Amino acid sequence: MAGPIVRWGAGLGLGALWWWAVLRLALAPDAGVLEGAVAAGGWGLSLLPVHCVPKDRAAGAVVSGRWAAAWRVGRSTTAWPHRRSDAGSGPL
């Protein structure tokens, strides 16, 4: 029971700190490096992929090794290769 309460408290506290820094940067003429660092750090944390799951459990994930298998196949087309201008009319 204490775990979720601590997480919510930490989240709300850090969120309030971030909003304080952003509003102080926007509204206060004497805002400085501390507010900028807090605002940039909070924005950077928002870019982290916090809802990640392992690739084998992810819905719609591409199978590992798909590109390696495609490269091993070799030629991807069965079209007739282009003839050189001096090759004549016979088969290659």
Side-chain angles (χ1 to χ4, degrees):
M1 184 65 154
I5 293 172
V6 171
R7 279 189 302 232
W8 272 97
L12 288 174
L14 292 173
L17 178 69
W18 184 81
W19 274 109
W20 167 81
V22 169
L23 291 175
R24 185 151 162 80
L25 277 173
L27 302 175
D30 63 338
V33 177
L34 176 65
E35 290 88 351
V38 170
W43 178 79
L45 284 176
S46 71
L47 299 178
L48 289 175
V50 294
H51 299 291
C52 292
V53 295
K55 191 173 184 178
D56 56 341
R57 288 187 8 204
V62 178
V63 190
S64 294
R66 183 183 79 152
W67 288 106
W71 281 102
R72 277 194 299 264
V73 169
R75 292 182 61 139
S76 60
T77 181
T78 57
W80 190 264
H82 294 288
R83 293 186 176 150
R84 295 187 311 240
S85 61
D86 62 345
S89 60
L92 296 176

